[in-house]
Amino acid sequence: MALLINSPLWAQAGTNQLESILRTQTQKAQQKSETLSLNQVLEQLQNEKISHLSWQEFLKQNEHVKEVEKASTKLENHLLNNQLGTLKEDANSNLFYHALGLPPYSQLIKGQNTIFIAESINHEAASSIDHAANIIRIIRKENPHARILLASEFLNWLGDEAPGLLKKAGEKTNLYISEGYMPVFRAADQANIDQLALDDFIWITQEKTSIVKIGPFAVYASPEDKVPSLNLAQDKLEDLALSTLNLVSVSPWGVRERNRQWARRINALRPFYDIIIVHAGDGHIAATYSMDLAPMLHVADYLLISLLPMEQLPENKKIFYENRSNIAETNGLCQDGTCYGLE
């Protein structure tokens, strides 16, 4: 297991004016939420208005977001080049560990109220999952009396009226949890940490149309749209729905809209917690600044821990992720490597 632990470049390079703006935005969001109870806030989030989008409209919007992503990556590189001298003088700006033991998390998390745990190289690597669980235990140990929330990409709300988006520590839930990630949520339960579902991947089929929910959007697709197939189901309409859901969710537009939804949920619940832990893929947290979660959360100071698993994924998972990426890229739904090259 290799880990990259960063205090954020943009927080280091940011001006006092930027930090003041971010702080003011956060305070306004908190003041608004503090007038409502937790249940009232959750009810508002669960009743978010849904906008409708055809597959062709999605493609058009996605092309725009792809260009924004490229422009943002180029801007990041330009600013990074101008900041390299400053960063070299700061010995604590980048810490890289490659060892079987744990890094000195107790020191790193002191005073941090926003902590990102980012998974790299796809998902579901056992070492990343176990390590994330260990980090959660350490955060609780170092903050025994804090109100802590774990906001996770790997906990999904299915649109049911109950239990809603939030799982209180130790409670049973109907929220969808991938079996592989159970160690993370067991650790949170044992540490008395509440858990927030960030996504709600809901899909339905009607006659010849599949409808999938991404953020606050319902994306419609029909066989005539020729959505690339991932061969996820034998039934053609069900395969269309699942392929649409997977491909849209990893597209630049889909990642941005999911991040916006995540930010709305986390910011709304922040006043009720002292520490927020976000566990997600690094494409949401550490990829391109304009679409990353941190600026959407209006945080200028946070700890980012990137987990880079050294072991191979199970063969079926490896094939799925490779297949999805290849199909998304070759069909123009995701970048063709331009941004990766720039990074």
Side-chain angles (χ1 to χ4, degrees), residues 63-329:
E63 284 303 309
H64 168 69
V65 179
K66 283 168 65 179
E67 292 305 312
V68 171
E69 189 178 38
K70 287 180 183 177
S72 181
T73 304
K74 291 176 182 177
L75 175 61
E76 273 193 87
N77 282 330
H78 174 72
L79 293 175
L80 176 61
N81 288 332
N82 290 335
Q83 290 295 326
L84 281 177
T86 305
L87 289 174
K88 286 177 182 176
E89 295 172 6
D90 182 0
N92 294 318
S93 63
N94 289 280
L95 305 173
F96 189 82
Y97 294 88
H98 189 175
L100 294 176
L102 292 175
Y105 287 124
S106 298
Q107 301 170 31
L108 293 166
I109 65 176
K110 282 183 179 176
Q112 298 286 353
N113 58 20
T114 304
I115 300 168
F116 295 129
I117 304 174
E119 289 195 357
S120 298
I121 318 176
N122 298 320
H123 298 312
E124 301 184 70
S127 58
S128 286
I129 293 168
D130 290 342
H131 204 89
N134 280 330
I135 294 170
I136 287 167
R137 294 186 189 99
I138 294 169
I139 293 171
R140 168 53 78 196
K141 182 179 178 181
E142 296 301 315
N143 300 276
H145 306 298
R147 301 169 301 169
I148 303 177
L149 176 69
L150 170 64
S152 177
E153 176 183 3
F154 311 110
L155 186 69
N156 294 320
W157 183 46
L158 303 181
D160 303 326
E161 291 183 9
L165 302 174
L166 186 69
K167 171 179 146 39
K168 300 294 288 184
E171 287 185 354
K172 291 184 178 180
T173 180
N174 292 327
L175 291 171
Y176 174 75
I177 303 173
S178 174
E179 184 63 30
Y181 284 94
M182 285 305 299
V184 172
F185 298 104
R186 277 197 294 268
D189 280 336
Q190 293 165 1
N192 194 31
I193 292 174
D194 294 348
Q195 294 129 61
L196 173 68
L198 292 176
D199 276 320
D200 38 21
F201 287 154
I202 304 167
W203 60 273
I204 59 175
T205 57
Q206 289 182 348
E207 297 179 353
K208 292 185 178 181
T209 303
S210 68
I211 309 168
V212 302
K213 183 183 183 299
I214 302 290
F217 291 91
V219 179
Y220 289 68
S222 68
E224 288 73 25
D225 290 316
K226 294 181 170 55
V227 176
S229 172
L230 298 181
N231 295 315
L232 296 174
Q234 291 183 341
D235 178 82
K236 288 186 177 180
L237 194 55
E238 186 177 339
D239 178 62
L240 174 64
L242 293 173
S243 295
T244 302
L245 178 62
N246 272 276
L247 292 171
V248 175
S249 69
V250 299
S251 69
W253 178 87
V255 170
R256 184 188 68 176
E257 294 306 328
R258 289 168 65 199
N259 277 4
R260 285 176 171 175
Q261 173 174 274
W262 296 7
R264 288 191 295 273
R265 292 180 177 180
I266 294 170
N267 281 332
L269 267 62
R270 184 178 286 278
F272 302 98
Y273 295 92
D274 305 309
I275 296 173
I276 304 289
I277 308 167
V278 181
H279 181 207
D282 63 358
H284 296 274
I285 297 172
T288 303
Y289 182 77
S290 70
M291 303 194 324
D292 277 354
L293 188 60
M296 294 183 187
L297 291 176
H298 311 312
V299 292
D301 185 26
Y302 55 87
L303 177 67
L304 167 63
I305 305 170
S306 291
L307 307 180
L308 293 85
M310 295 292 109
E311 89 265 19
Q312 291 287 331
L313 286 175
E315 192 64 22
N316 63 326
K317 300 294 183 183
K318 179 183 176 183
I319 291 172
F320 167 75
Y321 286 121
E322 288 179 350
N323 185 45
R324 186 175 68 175
S325 295
N326 290 336
I327 289 176
E329 290 183 18

Side-chain angles (χ1 to χ4, degrees), residues 20-34 270-271 297-298:
S20 176
I21 291 171
L22 294 174
R23 200 172 294 112
T24 300
Q25 289 174 324
T26 303
Q27 289 170 351
K28 287 181 179 178
Q30 290 178 345
Q31 288 168 0
K32 183 178 179 181
S33 294
E34 283 169 353
R270 184 178 286 278
L297 291 176
H298 311 312

